[in-house]
Amino acid sequence: MTLTDRYLKAVAAQLPRATRDDIIAELRDAIQTRMEDREESLGRPLTEAEKEAVLREVGHPLTVAARYGSGPQHVVGPELYPWWMFGVKVALVAMAAITVIGLVVRVFAGDMMAGQAIGHAFANVFNGAITIVGLATLAAFIIERQKEKPAFIRDWRVKDLGLFEIAAFDADSVSRALSENGPTQSGAADRARGRVRGVSGQMSPAARGVASAIAWAVFLLWWTGLLTTRDLRPIDLAVTIDGVSYSQLVIQTLGLIYWPVIAYAVARIVFGLARAAMPGSVRLTGLGDLALSVTRACFYGWLWMASPLSPLIRADSLQTLIERVATMVQTHDWALATIIMLVVAIGFVTSVFEASGALWRLVTGKPSPGADRLKPSLV
């Protein structure tokens, strides 16, 4: 077997079977012509080393085969890369939020020291980032190989571009917002803070839908354990306060809500994508928000009335609730049960108000008054 035959065999192994023979025949002719020209210029036959030099000029078999390949020759192409980067940034922000909230709860509950929590935070964010980047790259790889790019890339609208202000939430923006407080730099600082603070109010329904879908996808990965974290899931909590084993109560509660939470997260992702695909449908978003708000209200009601936590947090009357809160404030005894009671009560009331706003949009087909100011951008 000659050097040329060996070279062409390596190229052929990388080519599609349907076009392999034609490409190899064309390439063989090109290599043969190049070698004949070199022999003519030298006035003698080529040595083995000179033949190999000619083949090296043609290129590595993998590179040459790629020139004849069909489809994209990259994992994430230049058109999709900005979207890939945007999605990764939003997902990392969601991952960081989950990490901070989880570790703050553990520190507050006395289950972990602050220094240990900081170390775990860095480890969790690093491990989570690897998973997020890998999944985002896999999604981009699949999208790149579709015959048509998704509509969100082809059919974008100027009024939806507020979504991309989330991408400005980076180290530089935060650093400028925190440090540029002098009289000559206040304008720049206000702009830096505004990019972070003003995203919720400026995002269109389509923008909010995409961001919500990404954030809930990260939550779903974390909830199911597919997003690797260390000592951060609720079942990792091991706390006994005032003789109450909260770890056991949490495990019992999670056992009851594990699958309903998965179903809710999937519904949020689907609703977010539907909202992005049909941003002008006020009644559709009103129907979805109504269903989700009612679901949240039912969940808070269940926590209050029938969950394993109910005996600790339930107050039979508004007066009892006020008395428990007043006692906690006056004695500075920040009882965990009372704090959970407040969170559940506020969550229920908020869900009812959101449901009323969603019902208004469903019935009238118009945005509810103050919706943009009151509704969180990602939830």
Side-chain angles (χ1 to χ4, degrees), residues 12 17 79 88 119 134-135 142 164 169 217 251 269 304 344 348 355 368:
R17 185 180 299 274
E79 183 182 13
V88 168
L135 292 175
I142 295 174
F164 294 94
F169 189 76
I251 291 174
I269 295 171
W304 187 275
V344 172
F348 177 81
S368 56

Side-chain angles (χ1 to χ4, degrees), residues 218-237:
V218 173
F219 172 82
L220 182 61
L221 292 174
W222 170 76
W223 181 260
T224 57
L226 298 177
L227 189 60
T228 305
T229 56
R230 181 183 177 189
D231 300 331
L232 191 57
R233 298 184 64 198
I235 60 175
D236 298 321
L237 186 66

Side-chain angles (χ1 to χ4, degrees), residues 173 176-177 180-195:
S173 298
R176 287 194 298 270
E180 295 179 349
N181 295 315
T184 61
Q185 298 174 324
S186 58
D190 291 341
R191 288 192 298 271
R193 283 189 291 268
R195 281 195 296 268

Side-chain angles (χ1 to χ4, degrees), residues 42-374:
L42 293 176
R44 59 174 175 79
L46 298 180
T47 64
E48 290 291 303
E50 290 169 338
K51 290 180 180 179
E52 184 168 356
V54 171
L55 294 174
R56 289 174 63 87
E57 292 174 2
V58 175
H60 192 281
L62 293 177
T63 305
V64 173
R67 297 172 191 163
Y68 296 93
S70 59
Q73 303 297 321
H74 40 249
V75 177
V76 183
E79 183 182 13
L80 189 60
Y81 177 78
W83 293 87
W84 176 89
M85 179 59 71
F86 167 76
V88 168
K89 282 187 176 183
V90 174
L92 288 179
V93 170
M95 177 62 195
I98 292 173
T99 300
V100 170
I101 293 172
L103 292 176
V104 166
V105 170
R106 299 202 64 176
V107 171
F108 176 80
D111 187 41
M112 182 179 292
M113 300 297 293
Q116 185 182 12
I118 293 173
H120 284 201
F122 279 108
N124 287 328
V125 171
F126 179 78
N127 291 334
I130 293 176
T131 303
I132 288 170
V133 171
L135 292 175
T137 303
L138 177 61
F141 179 86
I142 295 174
I143 292 174
E144 282 286 1
R145 279 142 187 85
Q146 303 303 309
K147 292 183 178 180
E148 290 188 3
K149 292 292 190 295
F152 68 84
I153 294 179
R154 295 181 284 105
D155 304 328
W156 58 273
R157 303 183 306 173
V158 173
K159 69 178 183 178
D160 295 335
L161 297 182
L163 168 65
F164 294 94
E165 293 190 12
I166 296 178
F169 189 76
D170 53 22
D172 291 339
S173 298
V174 174
S175 176
R176 287 194 298 270
L178 294 176
S179 63
E180 295 179 349
N181 295 315
T184 61
Q185 298 174 324
S186 58
D190 291 341
R191 288 192 298 271
R193 283 189 291 268
R195 281 195 296 268
V196 177
R197 186 177 58 241
V199 167
S200 174
Q202 296 176 11
M203 283 202 300
S204 68
R208 188 179 290 117
V210 173
S212 177
I214 294 173
W216 277 100
V218 173
F219 172 82
L220 182 61
L221 292 174
W222 170 76
W223 181 260
T224 57
L226 298 177
L227 189 60
T228 305
T229 56
R230 181 183 177 189
D231 300 331
L232 191 57
R233 298 184 64 198
I235 60 175
D236 298 321
L237 186 66
V239 179
T240 300
I241 299 177
D242 297 331
V244 178
S245 176
Y246 283 91
S247 57
Q248 292 299 319
L249 293 176
V250 168
I251 291 174
Q252 293 173 17
T253 303
L254 290 181
L256 295 171
I257 68 172
Y258 180 79
W259 288 107
V261 168
I262 290 178
Y264 179 81
V266 171
R268 293 307 305 252
I269 295 171
V270 173
F271 175 63
L273 296 177
R275 192 175 193 173
M278 295 176 286
S281 179
V282 177
R283 283 193 167 90
L284 173 65
T285 57
L287 178 61
D289 285 334
L290 177 62
L292 294 171
S293 299
V294 170
T295 300
R296 288 195 301 273
C298 292
F299 170 69
Y300 288 123
W302 174 79
L303 285 177
W304 187 275
M305 301 293 296
S307 73
L309 291 170
S310 177
L312 293 176
I313 66 175
R314 181 176 176 179
D316 294 328
S317 65
L318 179 60
Q319 181 179 357
T320 302
L321 186 149
I322 295 174
E323 289 176 352
R324 287 181 61 176
V325 174
T327 301
M328 180 182 68
V329 173
Q330 293 171 1
T331 62
H332 300 288
D333 181 15
W334 304 100
L336 183 57
T338 305
I339 294 174
I340 297 175
M341 178 192 71
L342 274 177
V343 171
V344 172
I346 293 173
F348 177 81
V349 173
T350 301
S351 298
V352 171
F353 274 105
E354 290 179 352
S356 64
L359 182 61
W360 168 275
R361 296 195 298 275
L362 178 61
V363 173
T364 65
K366 300 178 181 179
S368 56
D372 290 338
R373 294 192 301 270
L374 296 176

